[in-house]
Amino acid sequence: MLFSAATLIAVPEIAAAQTVTPQAAPANADAVTRADESYRRGLRLYSDKKYVEAEAELQSAWELNPTFDVAYNLGNTKYQLKKYREAAEHLSFALRNWPLVKTVAKLKPTAEQRLAESRAQVGALRVTVSAAGAEVLVDGKAVGRAPLEGEVFVEPGEHRVETRLEGYAPVSQTVKGAKGETADVGMAMVAVKSEAQTAGAKTEGGAGAAGGGVGGPVMGQPPAGPVEPPPKKNWVPVIALGAASAVGLGVGIAMTVASNNASADGHAQADAILKAGGGCPDAPAAYSRACSDLRSTASRVDTFGRAATVAYTASGVLAIAAVTYALWPRSGTKASGKVRVLPETQVGYRGIVVQGAW
């Protein structure tokens, strides 16, 4: 008691030993004794400003008996060594567990000030997990189990946060810790069924027990009951596409006939001009009208030919679409999907575009 009182008077920022906090009780009395010895040596070294040696002693005391006073003095030591992340970690623990004792009340402002200064140099993560009891890891190092008490302090930069719990799928995400800021990290965990649970669900009702579950569902077979018939395919699109394909084919044939007729007319007009001894290149006035008609006929031949090509292409595309729709699996089957087949025609090329999801 005399030593503790003298320590408080001589070095106001050092806290004397306090009772163990309930949530961090040591394993046995021997651990408490050894922790107290390391703690006392650490206080003396801190008073002599031998911070590196004090850190080692206080760290040993913390590992044996993690109490408020050890956390406070270890946090101060880390602060003096400019290890701000660790200082913030221990000082925040001390403040969360600060006792209602008058002898250490005057030390609390020092803890709050140094925690604020340390936090300004590092980032903090406020991790919330949907499943209680899940282990939380930051950069592969365990920092506790959900729900975490307080924040997790990290160096500025990107960090990997992971959560693990038996019966749940592991979750991980990368977060960025900015200096002096707190990032909220939400980890939503989803329960997964084990093989034993799946087998148990299949044998529910006692089918797996000897002589029990008569009339119940058999493992590996669906339960008895009405089964909805597969939906009927709608044949209206097939009919519509088929009809459109036939129309396109008819238009293509008509355009081909018109192109052939125009081509025959053009040949006849050209023969007439040649037999009369004329020609269209640099045609004299007597042949200008005939040459104009010949050029008009040639233009019609080209127009009808292009229209026929487009009509045949569209007809083929529509026919393919009709067949695809007719043969495509009905909705509800494993390979179901919506497919669209569209023609695409631009200057210099023609084609089809197939859109869908498989």
Side-chain angles (χ1 to χ4, degrees):
M1 291 176 61
L2 289 174
F3 176 81
S4 298
T7 301
L8 285 169
I9 295 172
V11 187
E13 66 182 30
I14 296 178
Q18 303 295 326
T19 57
V20 179
T21 53
Q23 63 269 38
N28 50 59
D30 180 61
V32 175
T33 302
R34 288 187 288 116
D36 187 63
E37 292 173 356
S38 295
Y39 177 74
R40 299 294 177 179
R41 288 194 295 268
L43 293 185
R44 290 193 293 269
L45 290 167
Y46 185 94
S47 299
D48 295 337
K49 296 185 179 181
K50 297 179 180 180
Y51 299 125
V52 175
E53 294 87 344
E55 179 189 26
E57 293 291 347
L58 292 171
Q59 186 69 45
S60 178
W62 171 256
E63 293 171 358
L64 291 169
N65 189 18
T67 58
F68 132 81
D69 50 334
V70 178
Y72 172 77
N73 289 288
L74 183 56
N76 279 329
T77 306
K78 301 282 188 181
Y79 173 85
Q80 297 291 353
L81 294 172
K82 294 183 170 51
K83 296 182 179 181
Y84 296 114
R85 184 192 64 78
E86 298 173 49
E89 179 181 323
H90 289 92
L91 289 171
S92 64
F93 176 92
L95 287 169
R96 287 197 306 269
N97 297 280
W98 201 270
L100 298 176
V101 180
K102 291 183 179 180
T103 55
V104 294
K106 62 182 180 180
L107 302 178
K108 194 171 184 180
T110 301
E112 293 173 339
Q113 178 186 350
R114 291 187 172 179
L115 174 60
E117 293 176 7
S118 299
R119 281 179 60 100
Q121 302 299 321
V122 298
L125 306 178
R126 188 182 293 112
V127 183
T128 56
V129 187
S130 60
E135 184 182 27
V136 181
L137 302 94
V138 177
D139 296 330
K141 180 182 178 181
V143 295
R145 291 190 176 274
L148 294 181
E149 184 182 5
E151 301 167 325
V152 180
F153 298 99
V154 294
E155 298 295 341
E158 290 190 347
H159 299 274
R160 190 74 171 175
V161 180
E162 303 173 77
T163 54
R164 302 172 185 171
L165 182 62
E166 185 177 357
Y168 289 80
V171 180
S172 64
Q173 62 173 292
T174 301
V175 296
K176 186 174 183 179
K179 184 183 290 188
E181 297 182 4
T182 301
D184 289 315
V185 184
M187 308 293 283
M189 303 193 72
V190 179
V192 295
K193 291 184 178 180
S194 64
E195 294 182 1
Q197 290 174 322
T198 304
K202 290 182 179 179
T203 58
E204 184 178 358
V214 178
V218 181
M219 183 182 298
Q221 296 181 359
V227 179
E228 295 184 3
K232 295 182 178 180
K233 182 180 289 290
N234 185 3
W235 293 101
V236 174
V238 177
I239 297 172
L241 291 170
S245 176
V247 171
L249 180 61
V251 171
I253 293 173
M255 292 296 103
T256 300
V257 172
S259 177
N260 290 339
N261 291 338
S263 180
D265 292 341
H267 284 297
Q269 291 169 347
D271 291 340
I273 293 172
L274 292 174
K275 287 180 181 179
C280 286
D282 300 324
Y287 297 99
S288 61
R289 179 61 181 273
C291 288
S292 177
D293 292 341
L294 179 59
R295 284 192 290 271
S296 177
T297 301
S299 178
R300 285 190 294 117
V301 171
D302 184 68
T303 299
F304 290 145
R306 290 179 179 273
T309 301
V310 172
Y312 286 133
T313 302
S315 176
V317 169
L318 292 169
I320 293 172
V323 173
T324 302
Y325 182 89
L327 299 179
W328 201 260
R330 285 172 288 184
S331 59
T333 60
K334 186 176 181 180
S336 63
K338 294 182 179 179
V339 179
R340 292 197 303 168
V341 183
L342 304 173
E344 182 174 2
T345 303
Q346 295 187 19
V347 178
Y349 75 92
R350 302 174 187 84
I352 60 173
V353 177
V354 181
Q355 297 177 339
W358 291 270

